């Protein structure tokens, strides 16, 4: 087996073990045995277990970012056109749900890592979500005209909603169909975003609620 193929095999085995058992419960011996390689060969590819773990995380993060980039592709090249807002939010939510569905338990390496007590490791593990949020913040700025601090917070919230929804759906005893779950969460997310959208871009904010007129006959009385 060639070097690249051997490396890919080790990464696949490590991903399965880390996702199923966690970083702290998997040893390099475990990985070498499962991948059918000697420890010297394993260490030639990866100097330490942490290096191997971070390489696996990097691969998962790349896959997630690819999905998010595809979701944002309709608008990243230019200004948001009227009516695109709902579709972009829906596509973002779908990107997370489909990533989790395809990744299986390995999504936990990005969303539920057991190594995040170390600040440097935590930064690497959270890198994909942070980059996804940056892209979404740029789109939200176009939708809403809000300042950067506002759109950064909103983007992180949208990512958290999509991530939590996808994870909860995957772990449910009787999970909803992916399409049904995506539509449900996307509608919730869009109704939040729609209230902030400029009237000349992406959609129309709902009208302000007008309180009902007071009933003179009830003036001064308790209901």
């Amino acid at each position: 087996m060639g070097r690249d193929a051997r490396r890919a095999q080790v990464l696949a085995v490590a991903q399965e073990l880390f996702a199923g058992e966690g970083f702290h419960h998997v040893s390099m011996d475990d990985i070498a045995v499962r991948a059918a390689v000697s420890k010297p060969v394993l260490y030639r590819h990866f100097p330490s277990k942490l290096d191997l773990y971070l390489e696996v995380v990097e691969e998962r993060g790349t896959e997630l970012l690819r999905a998010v980039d595809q979701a944002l592709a309709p608008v990243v090249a230019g200004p948001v056109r009227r009516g695109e807002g709902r579709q972009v939010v829906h596509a973002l939510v779908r990107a997370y749900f489909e990533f989790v569905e395809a990744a299986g338990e390995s999504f936990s390496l990005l969303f539920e890592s057991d190594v995040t007590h170390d600040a440097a490791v935590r930064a690497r593990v959270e890198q994909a979500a942070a980059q996804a949020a940056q892209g979404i913040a740029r789109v939200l700025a176009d939708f809403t005209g809000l300042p950067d601090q506002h759109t950064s917070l909103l983007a992180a919230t949208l990512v958290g909603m999509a991530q939590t929804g996808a994870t909860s759906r995957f772990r449910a005893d009787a999970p909803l169909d992916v399409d049904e779950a995506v539509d449900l969460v996307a509608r919730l997310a869009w109704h939040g975003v729609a209230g902030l959208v400029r009237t000349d871009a992406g959609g129309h904010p709902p009208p302000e609620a007008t309180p009902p007129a007071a009933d003179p006959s009830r003036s001064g009385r308790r209901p």
Side-chain angles (χ1 to χ4, degrees):
M1 183 181 294
R3 179 179 177 82
D4 289 347
R6 178 70 70 190
R7 180 183 177 85
Q9 178 187 4
V10 169
L11 284 169
V13 167
Q15 175 180 293
E16 181 181 353
L17 289 173
F18 286 141
E21 302 178 32
F23 176 82
H24 298 292
H25 293 92
V26 175
S27 69
M28 289 294 264
D29 284 329
D30 296 329
I31 295 166
V33 169
R34 184 75 68 86
V37 299
S38 66
K39 285 187 69 177
V41 168
L42 180 58
Y43 278 105
R44 278 202 296 272
H45 287 283
F46 304 98
S48 71
K49 184 173 75 166
L50 183 57
D51 287 316
L52 176 52
Y53 181 84
L54 290 177
E55 186 74 20
V56 171
V57 167
E58 193 87 22
E59 282 199 344
R60 293 291 79 202
T62 298
E63 288 298 317
L64 175 59
L65 283 173
R66 185 177 296 119
V68 171
D69 286 346
Q70 289 174 352
L72 298 178
V75 294
V76 293
V80 179
R81 295 187 298 271
R82 183 177 295 279
E84 281 185 336
R86 183 190 297 270
Q87 287 79 4
V88 171
V89 170
H90 191 278
L92 169 67
V93 173
R94 178 170 289 282
Y96 271 83
F97 274 76
E98 291 187 344
F99 168 77
V100 168
E101 184 71 2
E105 285 294 339
S106 69
F107 77 80
S108 64
L109 297 172
L110 288 181
F111 301 163
E112 301 170 350
S113 174
D114 61 343
V115 200
T116 54
H117 62 278
D118 182 289
V121 175
R122 183 169 62 252
R124 181 80 70 89
V125 169
E126 295 175 353
Q127 184 177 14
Q131 288 183 249
Q134 288 172 9
I136 296 158
R138 288 193 294 271
V139 174
L140 286 174
D142 204 9
F143 279 1
T144 65
L146 291 171
D148 290 347
Q149 280 186 310
H150 292 205
T151 56
S152 293
L153 177 59
L154 291 171
T157 303
L158 278 175
V159 166
M161 180 184 293
Q163 179 176 306
T164 300
T167 301
S168 298
R169 180 254 164 204
F170 183 85
R171 291 271 165 78
D173 292 334
L176 292 173
D177 174 76
V178 171
D179 289 339
E180 183 179 3
V182 166
D183 183 63
L184 187 65
V185 174
R187 280 192 288 135
L188 174 63
W190 172 245
H191 281 296
V193 172
L196 304 169
V197 172
R198 301 188 333 259
T199 56
D200 62 339
H204 299 281
E208 293 293 331
T210 303
D215 182 350
S217 67
R218 298 177 65 87
S219 176
R221 297 190 209 163
R222 291 184 178 275

